[in-house]
Every structure is written in C-alpha cells, then in structure tokens.
Amino acid sequence: MSMNNSPNIFLEPSPNRFQVNVINESHDNNATPQEDADPPHYEETSFTEEAHGRHRISHRPGNRAFYENFLQNGDTVKSDGNLHPYDTHSNTYYLKTFGHNTVDAVPNIDYYRNTGSISGAKMNRPSLLEIHEQLAKNIAVNPGSIERVTNGDGTPGDEATANKEEEGKGGFVKFGWVKGVLVRCMLNIWGVMLFIRLSWIVGQAGIGLGIMAIMLSVVVTTLTGISMSAICTNGVVRGGGAYYLISRSLGPEFGGSIGLIFAFANAVAVAMYVVGFAETVVELLKSSGALMVDEFNDIRIIGSITVVVLLGISMAGMEWEAKAQVILLVILLIAIANFFIGTVIPTSNEKKARGFFNYQASIFAENFGPDFRGEGFFSVFAIFFPAATGILAGANISGDLEDPQAAIPKGTMLAILITTVAYLGVAICVAACVVRDATGNINDTVVSGMNCNGSSACTLGYDFSSCKAQECHYGLMNNFQVMSMVSGFGPLITAGIFSATLSSALASLVSAPKVFQALCKDNIYKALHFFAKGHGKNNEPLRGYILTFIIAMAFILIAELNTIAPIISNFFLASYALINFSCFHASYAKSPGWRPAFKYYNMWVSLFGAMLCCGVMFVINWWAALITYAIELFLYIYVTYKKPEVNWGSSAQALYYVNALDSALELTAVEDHVKNFRPQCIVLTGGPMTRPALLDITHSFTKNNGLCICCQVYTGPRKLCVNEMNSGMAKKQAWLTKNKRKAFYAAVAADSFRDGVKSLLQASGLGRMRPNTLVLGFKTDWRDASAVQIENYMGVIHDAFDFELGVVIVRISQGFDISQVLQVQEELEKLEQERLALEATIQDNEFEEESHGIRGLFDKARKLNITKHVTKKDSSINTIQSMHVGEFNQRLLEASNQFKKKQGKGTIDVWWLFDDGGLTLLIPYILTMRKKWKDCKLRIFTGGKINRIEDEKLAMTSLLSKFRIKYADIKIIGNINMKPNKESWKFFEEMIEPYRLHESCKDLTTAEKLKRETPWKITDAELEAFKEKSYRQVRLNELLQEHSRAANLIVLSLPVARKGVVSDHLYMAWLEILSKNLPPILLVRGNHKNVLTFYS
C-alpha cells in the first residue's frame, strides 16, 4: 500500500536526494492472510528522481510471528505497539536507508540551516544519544521541529517568528543579479562627477595622469570587490550588506561600529545627491530667470520636495524602486551615448570658439600631459574618487536578492568593468576633442603670420592666447558644462545629471534603512532595537525609512555639505578597508569554515587593498580620516565593553584559537623555571555557583596569574550522570564568564568521587598549562559522613600528593555549600513568575467579561476574588520563604560573599611551620598584590627553639629579604611541642571517641573481629604511636587562638598523613582541631619543589 502521511522531515527532500522508505510495522487485523510463509517485504532505497517529494510505505502480509519480534540491537526494533522515536502518528514506522533499518537520517540541507532561515525550517537530525542508546519506549520525537536556540545569526525567537510571518504573507520580491546588483551599482558609480567634473579633472591632470587617477580608484574598488566576492561566496548572505559581511567575518565589534557609521553615511549621502540635483535645477531656473525665492532657499525647497518623492517611491516597495532605477539607467545610458555621438558630429563655429574641434591628434597630444593650476595629482584624485564609490549598492540589499552568493560578485565586478570603460572612454574622448582654454568669442581667429608656439587651437585657426592674461570661461579648465556642449543634444546631458543624482539618492535611501535594520536586528545597540521591525511581504524597514528621511531632510535644510562630504567619503572608504581586511583576516586565521566559492582572491592582495583604502582616506582629507577613525574606535570600544551575546563564528574567534594553540605549543617547548612558577589550580567547587567563596579565594591568587579549573564530579547511574553533565557544561561556563571569573569549568562522570578527581588530576590542562595545586574545601560534615565518603575525601588528598601536586584545604566558619539557598531562590523565582503570569492572564480576560450583562458582572467579580486569594496565597508563601532564608541562611549567604568584598586593614598570618618549597609563603604574598587584599600585612610565624629565638628570627628575616617579600612582623614560636591544656585535649578525645576501636579493652578474638568489620576505626596502637603529633595539632590550635584570632586570613602548613599508617578519621580529627573556631584558614602543603628563588 502507499501512504503520504509520513513525518514532516521527509516530505520535501531536496532534488536528486536519496529516497528514504518508511516501513509500516502495524498490521491490519482485517486483512486477508496471504502466503503465511512470506516474510515482510522491504523495498530497497531508490536513488532515482522519481522518489522526489514522496516516499513509499510497503508491507506484504505474511507470517507475522516471523517479524513481530525484532531483536533490539541498535538498528532494529521490537514491535510492541509503542511509539518509535520518529513516529508522529498512531502507527509505528521504520526509516529504511540504503536498504537497512535504522533511525539514522541521510544528509539533508535542512539539518544545516540557521535559525529563522527563510528558505526552509531548521530541522534536528537524530541525536547521537538516540542512535547510540537502546530505543526507549513511549517516546515521541518530531524530527521536523524547529530549533529554538541561537545557532547562527540574529536573535533566537524574533527572527524566526518574523520570517514565518513573511512566509505566510507570500509574494517575496527577489531580484536577480542584473536588476538587483548590476543596475544599482552602475547607477551609484555613475554620478554627477561623470558629467560635470571629469572634463575638468582631465584638463588638470592630462590624459596620462587622469587615466592613472581613474585606474587608482578602480584598483581600490576592484580589490574591494574581489574581497567582497570571496566573503559573499563563503556561505549564505542575509540582509545588511557591508555590515553583514564585516560583522560575520570580524565579529560584532568591527561590524557594529562600521555598520552604524555606514548606515549614517548612506543617509547623509541621500542629502548630498539630492542637493546636487537641486543645484542643477536651480541653475536652470536661474538661467531662465524663474527663481522662487533665492538660490539658497530654492535648493532647500526643491531638495525637500525631491526627497519626499523618493521616500514615497521607496516605501511603495522594492518593486517600484527597482522599476524607477531601470528607467533612470535608461536615461543615463542615453545621455552617455548622446555624448559619444556628439563627439563625431561636425562642430560649429560657436562650439569651436568654446574649444570643441572634434577628434584632433594635436589636441590629444597637447592634453596628454598635466597642467595643474592650484591643484596636484592627489587633490585631483581626491575630487574624482567619490565618483568610483557605490560598489556596495547591490550588496546593501543582499536580503532582497534571489541568490546573493552568485549575484553580488557577478553584478559588482561587471559594474566596475562597465563603469571603468565608460569613465576612461569619456575622459579620453573629451580630452581629444576640447582644448584646455577657450574664450568663446568666434572672432578670436588666427591672424596670418602669427606664431602658434605649439598651441593646437592656433593650428586649428583660433587664437586663445588671451586666456593666459585674463580668465576665460570655456575649455576643459574653465567650463564644467563641457559635456553638454560636446553632446549631440544638450538637454539630454541635463537629464543624465538628473538621472545620476536621483538614482544615487534612491540607492542610498534604500541602502541606509536596510543596513540599519540588519544592525538593529542583531541587537548590538539595544536602544536601537525599535528599528528592527519590518513590514509587508518584503519585510520593509519603514521605521528606518522615516529615520533616514529625517536625517536627509536635516542636512538638505543645512544645504552646506562641503564640510560633511569628505567625512562621508571616508566613511565609505573605512567600510572598503574593513571588507578587504575581513577577507585577509579570514584567510590568515585558516579556519576550516573559510571555503569561498570565489577563488580569484589572495589574502595579501586583500591586505594591500585595506592599506590602500586607509592611505586614500588620508589623501582625500586627513582630518576627515582622523574623525572617521576616532568615531570607529569609540564605537568599537563601546561594543567591546557591552559584549553583545552573539556568536557568528567570526575569523577573530578562529584567530584567537590559532594564537592560543600556537602559544600553547611554544610554551610546551620551554622548560619550567622557578621564577615563572605560578599556582595553577584545580578547585573542587562542584557547580561553581554552589561554592562561590571557595572559587573566590582561589580566584584571588590565580586571576591574571595562573590557571583555575572549577571541577565537578558526577557519581551515580552513568546515563543520568552523563546527561546531566553534558546539559550543564555550557551553563556553568557561562556563569563563570558572566560573573567575571577567569576560570574554566570541567566535569567528569565516575563511579566514585575519588575516581573522578583522580581522572581530573591526571588529564586536566594542556601542555605547560597543567594544574600544580589542588584546592578543596574542608569537609565540615565528616563526623556524620559514611566511612566510604571519608575514605574518598582522604583518597583525593593522597592522590594529589602521589601526582606531586600541592594541596590547599580551605575552611570558613559557615561552610561553602549554598546549594540549598540557591534552590530556595529558584523556587521563589518560579512562584513569582507564575503569579505574574496568572495576574496578566486575568487582567487580559477582565475586559472580555464586561459585555455579558449581569452574568459577566458576576464572573468579573469572581475573577477579582480569585486574584485577591491568589495574591494573598503567593504573598504568604513569599513571606514564609523569605523568613526561612533570612532566619537560616543569611549568615551562609554573607559568608559566601566574604571574599568578594574589599578586605579592610588587617593581617594575613602565615604559619610557615614546614618547608614545602615555598607555596605556603607564595600564596599569601600573591594575595597582598590584589586590590581587595592590599591593605593586609603579612605576619610570619614559624617554629624554633626557645634558647635560639633571636637567631631563628634573624635567619628568617634574611631569608624573606632575599625572597624580596615584604612583611610586617616575624614571630618565632618556641613552645609548639608543649602539651596542650587538659580542656583542649579532652575535647579532642571526645571528638575521636566514636571512631576508636578500643581493642586493648577487648579479648583478642573480639578485637580481630572488630578490626575486620570496621578497619577504618582508630586503634589504640595508632593513637599511641601518633600521640605526640596529636598533641601538636591541639597545641597549634591554642597558639592560633592566642595569636591569630583577629587575623583576616590564616595560612598554615598542612600536616601530611602517611598512606596506610594514619587512619582517615584520625587525620580528619587533626584537621578539625587544627582549624576549629578560627577566621578563614588555608591549610597549604606544596609539592616540596622550589616555587621561590632569590637568584635573578
């Protein structure tokens, strides 16, 4: 049988894909049995186009007992009536790929789409877990669901929603490469410069240097076009033009800064082009004596009317705007053709008097060299260069192109070629036909016998020598309307000027809102997100159009654009420079994702293009270039500071990785040296947010100085542990980043806590960046913990020493774990969200009830009553929970934040009792270098003989001075080995009493039995053997209470327990009595390798 109700993921496969056959597992009870011996028939996978858009589900009835029980071995499933993971209907289906039953999916473009793709939904392929694990029962997964996380561009929800709305409206207007790119670029590149300035430029620079100026401009635009083509063909291009290309290559910092100034430049460019149009119209009115008010105000009036008309065309939609552009291009082409036709039409005496003699070799030769008059090559180049800009006109509407990857390179490069030929043709033709100076007087003919002195006009019968003495008004150097004079029909040149200005204004009026909308959608500047919304079938940025209109109108009313024009040109050049640099940077970063389809580029050529653009910026106007750089730098710093939450896989990220990898490899080749030692810590925080104080104190001596890895060990059922670990990795690393903790997060799943930590101790780090110190919190609940837990905790310390790591055990009075507080806060937040949601729902429904008469009135009253009860209930819950937090956890919260605060004036007391290589001294020294701890002074305590206290003090003073470590005081404790007082010792004995074996009080058989049953207990023999050491720990606590009770922090040498000799509970008792009732204390033991040196 044949069916078409298969899961959505296979409804629309791409052309020429594999056919995926879905096999029905269910059975029709009413079907008539046929040939019971026949097994079920599975059709083979088809590779033909016939399968496109459909799939066949076939089932041949037969002996059901043969196939109703498939082995559950990964690829086949037992048919028991439960849902298959890919079943979306009541029946159960298999996916059959390559003739094999599997849940694996064939390659499909929909799996690789970004969120909100307008050309198709983002699909989720079967996860590795679904393929790797046994098939679970009663699971319904729809593989066609849209992924709701940001995995590419834009905001996660908004863009997808917007695109869905657009798809629903239908009727997208998409342009091909001719109408979308070629036409726009040609219109934008051909500006008024072609008609009213090019002749003057050739007159000043001559044909030779004039061609060089044009070619230098073309080199800049061509190199930029090549770089842009490479970037465009390295993936799907969305709306945003230059901003999109730069931001996705170099990241939001560069993209956000250049996007804003590029959009502003386009908006002001509208005003520039409109004023150029208005000035031409005013000149015509002036020549006809038909001025409305005066020149200045007429420009404002005509410019305002023009920009309103252009806004109407733009807001009418891209179709109307595209039609207007085509009409303007036709006019422009006719005007250019009119000029070339005019050059071959025989000239009149009036035109000869104005310097036009048709094509003459003598004029070409005379005009080939330069004749600068108050100008230089670079000043003339600066005037011409804006005429070559406009190559981004097609890229700026990339979101409205059918195939931006193909259209932008093809259309842009062809536009550059055509416009370059036109510029060169016009420049050469006008310089070969028109002399530099002419009087315009038809009577200035050559007198017989006159010496021409090489003047081409003289050889052609005209004497324009008077122009050397007085100013003339005709010729290349003096008349900006040369092209009108030369052309076959002068008014067509005026029409060409109108077409050039209006087309450029229209292109800029469309480009600015499109670029600005793309920038606002990315939410880099949160205050501008209002302008991200689009309207209509083409997602038109109407709000952006209005903003562009306001900016353009403001500058039109100023009507003085000579000052702002160079800055606008530099804004465009800055965009070109960054596009070139983006191409270079992406190539230099060597990311595997950099695979442009356009192959005719070179990274070093792109770099040269970027440098050339920067150089041209200063050539055009040095102060405008400085202003451009200053604005871009300010915006770059602003975006960097704000750190927008976007991830575009920029080349900057790729380069960070490459640099980090290279540095790590280089570091591996460098031998460790004691002068460069720094604590590199593994911190057993669990989730970093659950023990913030432990992380904070470690971060205090590792920040900007050493490696810090927050580690968590998951124990329990492996599958649950792995799932929980994988789901929490990104979240916990993000917490560290958000809270500005310069640390990494690492987690392992293991059978026991000790095994997990052992794995971390051995495998963490990279090359020389490997941990050398283990930091863990003191196990305050050790008396209530099981023997296995104590064994694991002690085993971690033993393992650290085995792997030659230093150990730091930290203890604070309230403990570190605040997970209960976090859980209460999370519950409170959930209750608050539920309350707000309920209130909002009730308020939305209140007004709907009013139209139902008396019944509606009663319903409304009932709703309000419910609201009051709900609010009262939630308030009581909040009060109870708040009291709970305040009563039981306030001190814990304060303790968890104590290392975040600035420590006041006080001391860090260092009890350096045993030489461990210097780590016990180095950590407190690093702490005093930190801003929070800089007001704390070091006090050094060490043991010594009572009869040699002064000698010991001098020796310690000498050592510290050689280490160049500043200290406030040194104290030699001579009575460390005294017995503690009776009360202290009694407390210690009572503490260890539950864990003693007391074998000496029992007969030998009973004692042996107890040892076998409870091997972890403290024997009398062990207690006696380590009695002196136990005395020392109790005595040290007395001395700490006496000397360091008021210290901000105590750093104390950690006693070492010999493996297999000192029992775990006895060692925990030592640590307990050693650190009891004291300020925050760090028990430190280095790995007995030097970390301090006095050699230079």
Side-chain angles (χ1 to χ4, degrees), residues 188 479 989 1014:
N188 229 23
N479 182 14
E989 287 186 319
T1014 55

Side-chain angles (χ1 to χ4, degrees), residues 444-489:
D444 287 343
T445 54
V446 174
V447 180
S448 59
M450 181 179 174
N451 185 8
C452 288
N453 291 325
S455 169
S456 58
C458 180
T459 59
L460 294 170
Y462 280 83
D463 179 16
F464 299 141
S465 58
S466 61
C467 291
K468 294 179 181 178
Q470 62 183 25
E471 185 180 353
C472 293
H473 298 288
Y474 296 98
L476 295 177
M477 302 290 279
N478 309 306
N479 182 14
F480 290 150
Q481 302 298 327
V482 166
M483 286 190 69
S484 295
M485 178 190 70
V486 172
S487 64
F489 183 60

Side-chain angles (χ1 to χ4, degrees), residues 537-743:
K537 61 186 178 182
N538 244 46
N539 196 31
E540 294 292 342
L542 298 186
R543 295 172 180 177
Y545 281 128
I546 299 299
L547 180 64
T548 304
F549 169 76
I550 292 169
I551 294 170
M553 185 65 80
F555 280 96
I556 286 169
L557 293 177
I558 293 171
E560 283 290 341
L561 295 173
N562 291 337
T563 304
I564 198 72
I567 298 177
I568 302 306
S569 295
N570 274 309
F571 280 177
F572 286 122
L573 270 168
S575 304
Y576 295 175
L578 281 178
I579 288 173
N580 281 299
F581 185 72
S582 297
C583 183
F584 163 75
H585 202 269
S587 304
Y588 183 73
K590 297 176 183 175
S591 171
W594 174 248
R595 302 185 300 274
F598 184 85
K599 299 298 182 184
Y600 306 104
Y601 75 96
N602 180 275
M603 59 185 284
W604 300 111
V605 172
S606 296
L607 179 62
F608 172 72
M611 295 170 66
L612 192 59
C613 289
C614 294
V616 170
M617 288 173 70
F618 281 96
V619 167
I620 290 176
N621 193 303
W622 66 267
W623 57 263
L626 291 178
I627 291 174
T628 304
Y629 284 131
I631 294 172
E632 190 175 332
L633 181 63
F634 170 77
L635 293 173
Y636 179 90
I637 293 170
Y638 173 82
V639 176
T640 304
Y641 175 75
K642 287 295 183 180
K643 291 183 180 175
E645 295 179 1
V646 293
N647 182 12
W648 294 325
S650 65
S651 59
Q653 292 175 330
L655 196 60
Y656 291 157
Y657 176 84
V658 171
N659 291 339
L661 186 62
D662 288 343
S663 298
L665 289 170
E666 288 174 11
L667 193 62
T668 304
V670 178
E671 291 294 328
D672 287 332
H673 194 282
V674 64
K675 286 195 294 185
N676 294 320
F677 176 87
R678 57 201 66 219
Q680 304 196 109
C681 301
I682 275 190
V683 196
L684 301 184
T685 56
M689 63 284 289
T690 59
R691 291 177 178 81
L694 181 60
L695 173 59
D696 289 338
I697 188 63
T698 309
H699 192 249
S700 296
F701 57 83
T702 59
K703 181 183 178 183
N704 298 327
N705 188 56
L707 182 68
C708 181
I709 306 176
C710 298
C711 295
Q712 185 169 8
V713 178
Y714 289 89
T715 57
R718 182 171 180 80
K719 186 175 179 181
L720 292 175
C721 287
V722 171
N723 289 343
E724 187 180 354
M725 180 179 73
N726 290 341
S727 62
M729 293 285 281
K731 178 184 174 184
K732 287 163 185 174
Q733 185 63 57
W735 184 91
L736 290 169
T737 305
K738 182 181 178 183
N739 288 273
K740 298 180 180 177
R741 297 291 176 266
K742 295 188 176 181

Side-chain angles (χ1 to χ4, degrees), residues 367-419:
N367 289 340
F368 190 83
D371 185 14
F372 293 115
R373 300 178 189 176
E375 301 289 344
F377 174 77
F378 287 111
S379 63
V380 169
F381 169 76
I383 291 168
F384 172 77
F385 184 79
T389 59
I391 61 170
L392 296 178
N396 286 340
I397 62 157
S398 52
D400 296 296
L401 300 175
E402 282 181 6
D403 185 7
Q405 287 178 278
I408 292 174
K410 194 190 300 181
T412 304
M413 299 308 290
L414 188 57
I416 292 172
L417 176 63
I418 293 172
T419 53

Side-chain angles (χ1 to χ4, degrees), residues 100-113:
H100 186 60
N101 299 331
T102 178
V103 297
D104 257 344
V106 295
N108 190 324
I109 192 172
D110 292 332
Y111 297 139
Y112 296 90
R113 296 191 191 282

